[in-house]
């Protein structure tokens, strides 16, 4: 690969998982601020979890807050406790809203795009070059409480048809066992995992986090 693999561990809720992700080489630590999600944390809890990360490691990480159609008040409530490096938008936010938040908060923005087939990539085009990052995630199943973290994958090979300005991450159904194949099929150099490193719904498994990071890094070195 022409650039290092970037790894995002999302939906962190406990100290052991945060410590493992930070120490094992994750680039992004993601915290979910979506009340309907089993991985939802309060701003105060996110601050507690980050307080245990040594400053020399924290300086190398990017902290991501995941929101679904947030108001400014929703984001303000988090910023009172945690300075986010990146705001991740996982709802129906418009390109104008993406740009507004970038300017208002001085943070990068990841815009998530739900994908089930190649046709869904068209939905990313209005955000390309506006969002700092795009995240291509599996479209959620009917009745899902949140748009991400559902453990579903989409046909990774459709990403070979994407060409855009914004760097992108691959998500949706990734785990330590399939991340290498997902990267090879999609051409992704950035990956995002949540449910695939859990031992039960909403509860991360530090061993699976470590294995995921090793597998992704090994896959990158093999290219």
């Amino acid at each position: 690969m022409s650039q290092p693999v970037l790894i995002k561990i999302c939906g962190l809720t406990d100290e052991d998982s945060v410590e493992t992700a930070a120490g094992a080489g994750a680039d992004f630590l993601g915290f979910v601020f979506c009340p309907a999600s089993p991985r939802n944390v309060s701003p105060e809890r996110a601050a507690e979890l980050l307080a245990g990360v040594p400053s020399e490691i924290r300086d190398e990480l990017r902290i991501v807050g995941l929101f679904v159609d947030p108001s400014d008040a929703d984001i303000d409530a988090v910023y009172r406790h945690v300075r986010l490096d990146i705001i991740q938008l996982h709802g129906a936010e418009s390109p104008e809203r993406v740009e507004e938040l970038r300017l208002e908060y001085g943070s990068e923005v990841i815009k998530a795009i739900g994908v089930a087939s190649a046709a869904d990539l068209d939905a990313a085009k209005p955000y390309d070059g506006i969002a700092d990052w795009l995240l291509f995630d599996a479209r959620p199943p009917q009745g899902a409480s949140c748009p991400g973290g559902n453990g579903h994958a989409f046909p990774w090979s459709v990403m070979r048809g994407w060409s855009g300005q914004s760097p992108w991450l691959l998500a949706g159904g990734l785990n330590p066992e399939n991340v290498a194949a997902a990267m090879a099929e999609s051409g992704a150099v950035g990956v995002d995992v949540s449910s695939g490193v859990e031992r039960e719904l909403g509860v991360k498994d530090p061993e699976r986090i470590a294995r995921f990071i090793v597998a992704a890094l090994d896959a990158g070195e093999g290219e």
Side-chain angles (χ1 to χ4, degrees):
M1 290 183 176
S2 58
Q3 62 188 80
V5 178
L6 295 173
I7 300 169
K8 179 171 175 278
I9 309 296
C10 197
L12 294 160
T13 61
D14 67 273
E15 285 83 359
D16 287 347
S17 296
V18 169
E19 180 181 350
T20 298
D27 301 283
F28 307 84
L29 301 186
F31 298 91
V32 175
F33 303 105
C34 170
S37 171
R39 304 166 189 93
N40 181 62
V41 293
S42 68
E44 294 87 349
R45 179 60 175 151
E48 289 175 359
L49 294 172
L50 287 169
V53 178
S55 58
E56 63 272 18
I57 296 178
R58 170 65 181 86
D59 291 343
E60 299 299 318
L61 295 168
R62 280 175 275 189
I63 307 306
V64 183
L66 187 156
F67 301 87
V68 179
D69 297 308
S71 66
D72 285 7
D74 294 330
I75 299 176
D76 289 343
V78 173
Y79 269 72
R80 282 195 286 271
H81 299 274
V82 179
R83 171 65 191 182
L84 300 175
D85 299 299
I86 303 176
I87 296 169
Q88 180 171 325
L89 300 174
H90 232 295
E93 303 89 1
S94 68
E96 292 76 19
R97 180 60 169 157
V98 170
E99 181 67 10
E100 178 182 84
L101 291 175
R102 289 181 71 248
L103 294 173
E104 183 173 353
Y105 291 93
S107 297
E108 294 185 354
V109 172
I110 294 173
K111 180 67 182 85
I113 307 295
V115 180
S117 68
D120 292 318
L121 299 182
D122 287 342
K125 292 178 180 177
Y127 300 93
D128 187 35
I130 294 176
D132 297 277
W133 299 81
L134 296 173
L135 185 146
F136 293 96
D137 196 0
R139 192 180 280 186
Q142 189 171 4
S145 61
C146 264
N150 294 297
H152 287 251
F154 65 91
W156 299 315
S157 60
V158 304
M159 293 309 305
R160 291 289 183 177
W162 174 256
S163 177
Q165 302 175 56
S166 300
W168 58 275
L169 305 172
L170 180 71
L174 300 182
N175 57 51
E177 293 75 32
N178 69 15
V179 65
M183 292 168 62
E185 289 186 34
S186 66
V189 295
V191 290
D192 182 350
V193 66
S194 184
S195 63
V197 291
E198 292 180 344
R199 60 173 175 263
E200 59 184 84
L201 183 63
V203 181
K204 292 290 186 285
D205 182 336
E207 181 184 0
R208 288 186 66 77
I209 291 174
R211 285 174 52 210
F212 182 89
I213 292 172
V214 169
L217 292 174
D218 285 351
E221 290 177 359
E223 289 291 324

